Amino acid sequence: MSIDVQSLAKRRGFIWQSAEIYGSMAGFYDYGAMGAMLKRKWENSWLKYFMGLNDNYYLIDSTNILPEAALKASGHVDSFTDPLIECTKCGHAFRADQLIEETTNQAAEELSLAEIDAKVLEIGLACPRCKGPFGNARTFNMMFPIDVGTKGTDKAYLRPETAQGAYLNFKRHFEIMRRKLPLGLTIIGKAYRNEIAPRQGVYRMRELIQAELQIFMDPDTFSDELDLKEMDGQDIQVQLVDMRGKQHMQPMPCRYLVDQYGLPEFYVYHMLKIQQFYLDVIKVPKSKFRFYEKSAKERAFYNRVHFDIEVDLSTLGGFKELAGLHYRGDYDLTKHQLGSKESMEVSIEGRRLIPHVLELSFGVDRNVWALLDLHLVDERTGVLKLPPALAPYTFAVFPLMKKDELIPVARNIHSRLRDDYDVCYDQSGSIGKRYARMDEIGTPFCITVDFDGLADGTVTIRDTDSAEQKRIKLDDLEIIARGLHSGKLLFKELN
RNA sequence: GCAUCGAUGGUCUAGUGGCAUGACUUAGGCCUUCCAAGCCUAUAGCCCGGGUUCAAUUCCCGGUCGAUGCACCA
């Protein structure tokens, strides 16, 4: 029998559907005690890594509710919408613009609802499934509308992406942070999309968490400010558009991607950084990681370069998008300049420009799920081997048995460590069962107080990864704990 | 949103028109000097609404949720 990640996630307190006792709504998930800690630690690792790329990158926060005008300017009110027509006979809904385009070979994207209705009549469009007649076209916008104020007269929406918060705040932060480029603004927060058919667990949700870094920069000088030497001799795992169907991915030298494939140096530099994050911090096996190039047709029109970051997840049946690296150009700030009539132009050493945006966009829920998927290594017994910095609990402390001599010592160790780490104390059940519990929630180190140790001031410490044990002096506990937690000391280096 | 299938303690399941099965888990106890041992006890369940029936977890209708395919995913 193999461990089902979904039921482990539920049973051990990671994640499950929201409002369970009322039958749930599709696309909404809640985090339990373990899941919330795992998510927080993923976010912390992510922040530490990506904020560390530049001194001028900052964490900010912004509202989930945005005024209609802002989302009108960003294009979401109009383009986050699909015109639908429904068959009056079989009830099947179709994308009106696509159907018209297929039938007439004419672009229909710009047609209004009334124009669509007229066009449907004109060309005698009928339901491709049952030949039934179509009703009037209507729009379906993926944004959740909100009525603000007692009369609900201020129209607003739940934000469909966190990015807009950074764009709306750009001018003020540019001023506060002393007018330097590149300026990085990070937001970790909720975004909302009224998906037509949420599927595959946390992979497509209606309320999701995004971690996004928006880098505002001058495309002509940004590359010069990066340490491009880091790219020398480094390969990126990529699947380019023309490789599709032939292979999953191929290691391509950074230099090739710049010189031959024509990607901007700053873009490839960030590919490398993202790859290092996944391979070194998240510990994704190299064979399960790739950048997946989006074709001109697949990417949003304002993205000049777009690769998805994909990881091979067995629970989701293959390579799945966990993040995206988008070179959005000056599209966003230009749009908000038009919409708000506030100038988004900046002046740097005599050069005036509207900064361009390089967006690093991560789906947090998917990434947290990926941790469970990737690190549940023993499917039979359910051993989760999480990196110490990501595990919900870094340490667990047990008395070998529920005996009066052992309990106070174990309690004391627990409280010594608790100030600095997330530590679990457990004295219930056999020692083997307690180790197994910790295996399932990914606690990397278990400290056990036994009778031998009472005499000579030692405890045993067990490594989840290898299930091996070593005996350490209680006096060394703090320094060893610090080393193991940071990853600077490896378990095998003990003694 | 359409189609097919499904939904039983916390988890995984058996089964049924009339006291709902088992395992694991969890809690308490006994035992136990290191990897889910054993014994005793306890807690806990038929997705929601309506219908048929003396009686519905079971049959019927509608909904919700899930899996899969199609569609959708700027």
Side-chain angles (χ1 to χ4, degrees):
Chain A
M1 194 188 78
S2 70
I3 300 288
D4 173 26
V5 178
Q6 192 109 30
S7 78
L8 178 117
K10 219 188 253 191
R11 193 158 43 86
R12 285 302 182 201
F14 287 98
I15 189 166
W16 50 81
Q17 278 197 287
S18 156
E20 275 188 311
I21 61 171
Y22 286 103
S24 303
M25 273 190 298
F28 295 92
Y29 284 80
D30 285 350
Y31 287 89
M34 294 306 114
M37 286 205 279
L38 183 62
K39 175 168 77 66
R40 177 67 58 89
K41 291 189 178 191
W42 185 92
E43 290 168 350
N44 287 344
S45 295
W46 183 90
L47 263 181
K48 196 173 164 212
Y49 185 90
F50 288 101
M51 292 295 95
L53 294 181
N54 191 294
D55 290 340
N56 205 38
Y57 291 177
Y58 306 96
L59 175 67
I60 65 166
D61 211 346
S62 70
T63 58
N64 291 12
I65 296 175
L66 290 175
E68 183 176 44
L71 292 161
K72 189 103 186 155
S74 71
H76 286 87
V77 171
D78 297 319
S79 339
F80 214 58
T81 306
D82 292 329
L84 294 180
I85 41 175
E86 237 167 72
C87 172
T88 53
K89 196 172 144 202
C90 71
H92 199 90
F94 296 88
R95 279 279 298 274
D97 53 339
Q98 284 185 354
L99 215 51
I100 292 171
E101 278 178 34
E102 281 168 25
T103 315
T104 63
N105 269 329
Q106 291 167 5
E109 214 173 331
E110 303 296 315
L111 295 182
S112 69
L113 291 181
E115 287 167 335
I116 287 173
D117 289 340
K119 198 83 184 171
V120 167
L121 277 178
E122 181 194 324
I123 61 176
L125 200 61
C127 175
R129 290 193 138 204
C130 70
K131 307 290 171 214
F134 280 118
N136 284 339
R138 61 186 170 90
T139 56
F140 177 75
N141 193 303
M142 300 244 299
M143 291 194 295
F144 289 101
I146 292 279
D147 291 327
V148 177
T150 50
K151 290 183 178 161
T153 42
D154 292 330
K155 287 187 78 179
Y157 296 92
L158 291 175
R159 64 182 176 193
E161 58 174 6
T162 57
Q164 295 305 324
Y167 305 147
L168 300 181
N169 279 297
F170 166 71
K171 262 204 101 178
R172 181 164 298 283
H173 281 102
F174 182 73
E175 191 63 33
I176 293 166
M177 297 309 168
R178 291 152 45 197
R179 304 180 192 178
K180 282 179 289 190
L181 293 182
L183 168 66
L185 297 180
T186 277
I187 295 172
I188 298 179
K190 295 281 183 108
Y192 303 83
R193 298 174 182 186
N194 195 3
E195 296 281 357
I196 296 170
R199 279 280 178 87
Q200 294 196 287
V202 303
Y203 187 67
R204 205 192 304 174
M205 304 200 296
R206 286 176 164 143
E207 175 171 331
L208 56 134
I209 304 165
Q210 293 186 309
E212 296 192 319
L213 167 60
Q214 310 293 331
I215 302 171
F216 301 89
M217 47 83 178
D218 178 347
D220 294 335
T221 61
F222 186 33
S223 294
D224 302 337
E225 314 201 20
L226 304 171
D227 189 4
L228 296 176
K229 283 198 300 294
E230 288 185 45
M231 287 159 49
D232 293 344
Q234 297 288 333
D235 288 339
I236 306 276
Q237 304 275 107
V238 289
Q239 187 181 42
L240 303 174
V241 166
D242 58 14
M243 288 163 56
R244 293 207 189 157
K246 293 174 197 159
Q247 53 210 129
H248 280 315
M249 75 194 87
Q250 197 170 358
M252 297 265 192
C254 291
R255 277 292 146 209
Y256 173 89
L257 292 171
V258 173
D259 299 337
Q260 310 296 315
Y261 206 67
L263 300 181
E265 283 178 309
F266 63 76
Y267 192 90
V268 177
Y269 177 85
H270 285 86
M271 291 176 94
L272 181 62
K273 287 295 166 187
I274 291 169
Q275 178 172 281
Q276 283 171 356
F277 173 72
Y278 275 100
L279 300 189
D280 300 343
V281 179
I282 306 297
K283 309 287 185 197
V284 178
K286 206 170 185 179
S287 62
K288 294 190 171 189
F289 177 88
R290 74 180 183 192
F291 282 91
Y292 185 87
E293 186 181 24
K294 300 299 253 190
S295 68
K297 207 170 181 178
E298 289 166 328
R299 64 181 182 246
F301 59 93
Y302 51 77
N303 276 336
R304 303 186 179 194
V305 189
H306 179 172
F307 283 73
D308 279 346
I309 289 86
E310 296 192 332
V311 171
D312 189 3
L313 300 175
S314 59
T315 53
L316 295 175
F319 279 90
K320 288 287 172 180
E321 174 195 355
L322 297 189
L325 178 59
H326 314 128
Y327 177 26
R328 300 173 66 134
D330 61 0
Y331 173 84
D332 301 283
L333 291 184
T334 301
K335 279 293 192 180
H336 284 302
Q337 173 168 294
L338 279 170
S340 66
K341 308 200 168 53
E342 288 270 338
S343 170
M344 294 292 157
E345 221 172 38
V346 302
S347 181
I348 302 272
E349 291 167 10
R351 289 164 45 77
R352 297 186 66 82
L353 76 150
I354 292 178
H356 283 214
V357 169
L358 180 65
E359 174 187 61
L360 285 66
S361 174
F362 292 67
V364 174
D365 313 276
R366 292 172 175 191
N367 275 275
V368 171
W369 182 261
L371 289 175
L372 298 179
D373 179 294
L374 290 166
H375 297 302
L376 186 71
V377 292
D378 188 332
E379 289 200 349
R380 195 177 54 79
T381 54
V383 180
L384 196 58
K385 291 186 180 172
L386 293 172
L390 293 171
Y393 291 118
T394 311
F395 301 102
V397 182
F398 310 139
L400 180 60
M401 288 185 304
K402 213 189 291 181
K403 294 284 186 193
D404 291 343
E405 310 92 282
L406 302 174
I407 290 172
V409 182
R411 284 276 186 204
N412 182 40
I413 293 172
H414 177 237
S415 62
R416 269 166 72 186
L417 292 174
R418 193 159 55 172
D419 287 343
D420 299 310
Y421 312 101
D422 294 303
V423 189
C424 175
Y425 175 85
D426 192 358
Q427 61 179 36
S428 145
S430 73
I431 190 72
K433 180 166 282 184
R434 282 176 268 159
Y435 287 143
R437 282 181 193 135
M438 290 303 124
D439 285 346
E440 275 194 336
I441 58 172
T443 306
F445 306 109
C446 296
I447 295 161
T448 302
V449 177
D450 63 1
F451 294 99
D452 295 347
L454 283 183
D456 60 0
T458 61
V459 291
T460 62
I461 181 161
R462 172 190 185 266
D463 171 48
T464 293
D465 204 19
S466 60
E468 275 175 36
Q469 252 178 333
K470 289 182 178 174
R471 187 166 287 278
I472 59 169
K473 288 203 190 76
L474 221 36
D475 292 341
D476 298 335
L477 184 66
E478 267 83 2
I479 194 160
I480 288 172
R482 198 181 318 141
L484 291 173
H485 176 258
S486 69
K488 286 175 183 154
L489 174 68
L490 298 177
F491 182 80
K492 61 183 180 200
E493 294 167 348
L494 277 176
N495 281 3

